[in-house]
Amino acid sequence: VQLQASGGGLVQAGGSLRLSCAASGGIYSNNVMGWFRQAPGKERELVASISWRGGATFYADSVKGRFTISRDNAKNTVYLQMNSLKPEDTAVYYCALRSSHSFAKSSLRVPDEYDYWGQGTQVTVSS
């Protein structure tokens, strides 16, 4: 499975960006997809996850109300709409795919629970 993330860039505080992640190669259904981010000197953290049919989503408290995760299974693509961006959102954003359909919140935040990772896309928010 290969994941290709795109859509990062430089934006002013208060602006918006939309990240996309296209999956290809041997994708099984009932997976969970997520977006993580990692800022310099910090650990990788979960931003948002979405279940296979999109009926369940989970967000980090820091992005609730500002970010929206969605997916289009016909296109094998997951999106992250980021609004009202803040300088503290600056990070490399990674998409990830978890083969298990389990949406247990205790495990969603754990990077090791995800089986495949994209290459990362830089998001920089200027103040």
Side-chain angles (χ1 to χ4, degrees), residues 101-118:
H101 68 278
S102 171
F103 210 72
K105 293 179 175 57
S106 59
S107 61
L108 289 176
R109 294 188 181 93
V110 181
D112 287 346
E113 292 287 336
Y114 293 76
D115 303 293
Y116 304 98
W117 291 84

Side-chain angles (χ1 to χ4, degrees), residues 19-39:
L19 305 183
S20 298
C21 176
S24 60
I27 301 165
Y28 294 94
S29 59
N30 292 326
N31 58 62
V32 170
M33 295 196 74
W35 287 96
F36 285 74
R37 67 186 180 187
Q38 188 165 19

Side-chain angles (χ1 to χ4, degrees), residues 58-122:
F58 181 79
Y59 295 93
D61 288 343
S62 59
V63 306
K64 281 181 181 177
R66 300 189 297 123
F67 291 11
T68 303
I69 189 171
S70 61
R71 65 188 297 170
D72 183 341
N73 289 339
K75 297 181 179 179
N76 290 324
T77 301
V78 63
Y79 306 96
L80 185 68
Q81 178 67 42
M82 305 186 294
N83 298 329
S84 302
L85 282 160
K86 303 176 181 180
E88 50 263 45
D89 294 318
T90 295
V92 177
Y93 283 69
Y94 299 89
C95 60
L97 186 151
R98 176 177 175 181
S99 300
S100 167
H101 68 278
S102 171
F103 210 72
K105 293 179 175 57
S106 59
S107 61
L108 289 176
R109 294 188 181 93
V110 181
D112 287 346
E113 292 287 336
Y114 293 76
D115 303 293
Y116 304 98
W117 291 84
Q119 83 286 7
T121 184
Q122 177 70 46

